[in-house]
Amino acid sequence: MSGGVEWALHCCTLLSRASQPVPAVKLAEYHDVSPSYLAKQLQLMSRAGLVRSTQGNAGGYVLTRDAAAITVLDVVEAIDGVLPAFRCTEVRQRGPLATPAEQCADPCAIAKVMDSADRAWRDSLRAVTIADLVADADRQILPGAVERARAWLAS
Amino acid sequence: MSGGVEWALHCCTLLSRASQPVPAVKLAEYHDVSPSYLAKQLQLMSRAGLVRSTQGNAGGYVLTRDAAAITVLDVVEAIDGVLPAFRCTEVRQRGPLATPAEQCADPCAIAKVMDSADRAWRDSLRAVTIADLVADADRQILPGAVERARAWLAS
Ligand code: FES
Ligand code: FES
């Protein structure tokens, strides 16, 4: 999994708390990461329709929809794509006792198990939204931290 | 995930079907893969205590325990290790509004969600054994295929 997932999810929680669009340079500064690195993650999220940039004086990034309608899986797939980590290369069709191709319409037993684990992983990430993350984080952080972040973003 | 996982799981199902130890070179030939590549996977599985090699005339690899006592997760972790794909780098402790380290004893809300998805994935792989894979594969393959494989291995 790419390290971009951690940045992207943190950006989404910050954007959901911000009261106005956040310029990319502020997002980078807030997270102390290089603007060009973060720009790549923002571009991937924008391509996936999760964020968009508004133009003009107070321009910057916003979430395209309510944080309760963006799942963690949406963000993970925006950054890392939708392909499962396991790819079956049809090992069973190789070698002197290869299974004939016409017997391989159904996926291999091994591929089925790996696919169902991948589904369990995605289901788990789909069950949590950015709004859930923010609510959970709010229970952990110091009183006043959200207000300080908002003031910093607006400054 | 490394491609070795597919080879390793296929080797385990073959070893569980074999009636005697299978030399590494036969395992490679059976699967039409380079012996040196397969040797690496066998070494990782051997280090994890899943297979061992017997010496002598009829020497070769065997499973160290019953196929019903080896889970798919055992094999995946032997090849790819036990570290989760997502690593939290404590993004929250960076930048001008960093969460102070003493507030970070609990994992970040994001890390918790990623960890629980990783657990769901591992639980899913732990629920299936090599014996289950073999039973499932037996329903798919042509009559006589297992006997032909055994005869080829013994030849
Ligand atoms: S042929 Fe790909 S997992 Fe079996
Ligand atoms: S600090 Fe690592 S996931 Fe939040």
Side-chain angles (χ1 to χ4, degrees):
Chain A
M1 180 173 299
S2 93
V5 167
E6 188 181 4
W7 297 105
L9 285 165
H10 273 274
C11 281
C12 285
T13 60
L14 187 64
L15 290 178
S16 94
R17 282 190 169 118
S19 33
Q20 72 271 307
V22 184
V25 62
K26 278 229 134 178
L27 275 173
E29 199 183 335
Y30 184 93
H31 291 112
D32 186 24
V33 66
S34 98
S36 63
Y37 179 79
L38 206 60
K40 209 190 134 208
Q41 321 308 328
L42 287 166
Q43 199 184 2
L44 291 169
M45 285 195 286
S46 161
R47 210 174 286 165
L50 304 179
V51 302
R52 65 187 164 79
S53 60
T54 64
Q55 302 303 317
N57 237 350
Y61 278 90
V62 291
L63 297 179
T64 55
R65 53 185 193 261
D66 195 88
I70 299 178
T71 70
V72 173
L73 183 65
D74 290 333
V75 179
V76 169
E77 293 190 335
I79 303 297
D80 268 3
V82 298
L83 290 181
F86 178 87
R87 319 271 170 93
C88 168
T89 65
E90 291 293 333
V91 160
R92 62 183 171 171
Q93 294 189 43
R94 301 172 66 136
L97 282 93
T99 309
E102 60 273 20
Q103 296 295 316
C104 293
D106 276 346
C108 168
I110 292 170
K112 281 190 280 181
V113 170
M114 299 306 294
D115 281 356
S116 101
D118 187 80
R119 263 196 309 279
W121 181 73
R122 280 172 216 270
D123 287 349
S124 179
L125 296 177
R126 191 185 291 110
V128 183
T129 68
I130 300 300
D132 296 327
L133 289 179
V134 169
D136 191 18
D138 279 353
R139 278 188 290 274
Q140 291 186 315
I141 56 182
L142 292 177
V146 172
E147 292 66 28
R148 274 195 302 282
R150 281 212 187 99
W152 184 88
L153 288 171
S155 70
Chain B
M1 180 171 300
S2 93
V5 166
E6 188 182 4
W7 297 104
L9 285 165
H10 273 275
C11 281
C12 286
T13 59
L14 187 65
L15 290 177
S16 95
R17 283 191 169 118
S19 34
Q20 72 272 305
V22 184
V25 62
K26 279 229 133 177
L27 275 173
E29 201 184 334
Y30 184 93
H31 291 111
D32 186 23
V33 66
S34 98
S36 62
Y37 179 79
L38 207 60
K40 208 189 134 209
Q41 322 307 327
L42 287 165
Q43 199 184 2
L44 290 169
M45 285 196 285
S46 163
R47 209 175 285 165
L50 303 179
V51 303
R52 65 187 164 78
S53 60
T54 65
Q55 301 301 316
N57 237 350
Y61 279 90
V62 292
L63 297 180
T64 56
R65 54 186 193 261
D66 195 88
I70 299 179
T71 70
V72 173
L73 183 64
D74 290 332
V75 179
V76 169
E77 292 190 336
I79 303 297
D80 268 3
V82 298
L83 290 180
F86 178 86
R87 319 271 170 93
C88 170
T89 65
E90 291 294 332
V91 161
R92 62 184 170 172
Q93 294 189 42
R94 300 171 66 136
L97 283 94
T99 309
E102 61 272 22
Q103 296 295 316
C104 293
D106 275 346
C108 167
I110 292 169
K112 281 190 281 181
V113 170
M114 298 306 293
D115 281 355
S116 101
D118 187 80
R119 264 196 308 280
W121 182 73
R122 280 172 215 272
D123 287 348
S124 179
L125 296 177
R126 191 185 292 110
V128 183
T129 68
I130 300 299
D132 296 328
L133 289 179
V134 169
D136 190 18
D138 279 354
R139 276 188 291 275
Q140 290 187 317
I141 57 182
L142 292 177
V146 173
E147 292 66 30
R148 274 196 301 282
R150 282 212 186 100
W152 184 89
L153 288 171
S155 69

